[in-house]
């Protein structure tokens, strides 16, 4: 009987508000993901770059962080679920910059541009 009542209650909620809006809302996406962004290329090259943390929720502000250092370089952080992460970088001497973004330990995304004199850019959803 308990199982029947639980199913009836869930079914009533789904019928009242609709199945699709519940799936598209953030009700099922609480928590956060861990990210690591790695910039690599010729060791010791000066890196100029940035990474962005863009929330899909209008109530959460997005932010862009500046990155300066020497290759290889990496940052670690956590961000709410359903966040878009992107990173870009270049070097002074037009060296190749490769960017890897790891979400919860798994690499995601592909480099959009890679090459001498070009700015590497990568995105992870």
């Amino acid at each position: 009987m308990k199982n029947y009542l639980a199913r009836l209650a869930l079914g009533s909620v789904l019928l009242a508000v609709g199945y699709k809006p519940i799936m598209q809302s953030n009700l099922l996406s609480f928590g956060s993901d861990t990210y690591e962004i790695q910039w690599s290329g010729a060791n010791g090259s000066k890196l100029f770059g940035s990474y962005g943390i863009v929330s899909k929720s209008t109530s959460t502000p997005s932010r862009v962080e500046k990155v300066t250092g020497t290759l290889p370089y990496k940052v670690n952080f956590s961000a709410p679920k359903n966040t878009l992460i992107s990173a870009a970088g270049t070097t002074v001497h037009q060296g190749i910059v490769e960017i890897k973004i790891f979400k919860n330990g798994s690499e995601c995304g592909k480099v959009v541009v890679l090459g001498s004199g070009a700015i590497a850019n990568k995105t992870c959803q």
Side-chain angles (χ1 to χ4, degrees):
M1 187 69 170
K2 273 186 183 178
N3 194 13
Y4 175 75
L5 292 176
R7 287 182 184 181
L8 181 62
L10 177 60
S12 299
V13 170
L14 291 176
L15 286 174
V17 297
Y19 178 73
K20 192 172 183 179
I22 286 178
M23 295 306 292
Q24 290 177 343
S25 73
N26 287 335
L27 292 175
L28 303 176
S29 61
F30 290 115
S32 62
D33 292 311
T34 58
Y35 292 90
E36 178 174 290
I37 303 174
Q38 300 174 352
W39 290 263
S40 60
N43 283 349
S45 294
K46 183 79 171 160
L47 170 68
F48 297 95
S50 64
Y51 63 95
I53 302 170
V54 180
S55 173
K56 293 181 181 178
S57 169
T58 56
S59 63
T60 305
S62 300
R63 70 179 214 249
V64 175
E65 299 291 334
K66 179 177 150 180
V67 172
T68 55
T70 55
L71 294 176
Y73 192 88
K74 71 179 179 179
V75 295
N76 294 289
F77 58 92
S78 293
K81 295 224 179 261
N82 294 323
T83 299
L84 175 75
I85 306 298
S86 68
T90 190
T91 62
V92 175
H93 301 292
Q94 298 181 342
I96 294 174
V97 176
E98 183 176 356
I99 300 170
K100 292 182 180 181
I101 301 175
F102 295 88
K103 178 180 180 180
N104 298 325
S106 298
E107 186 176 4
C108 61
K110 295 285 183 192
V111 173
V112 178
V113 177
L114 177 66
S116 181
I119 296 174
N121 188 10
K122 190 168 191 176
T123 303
C124 180
Q125 286 183 293

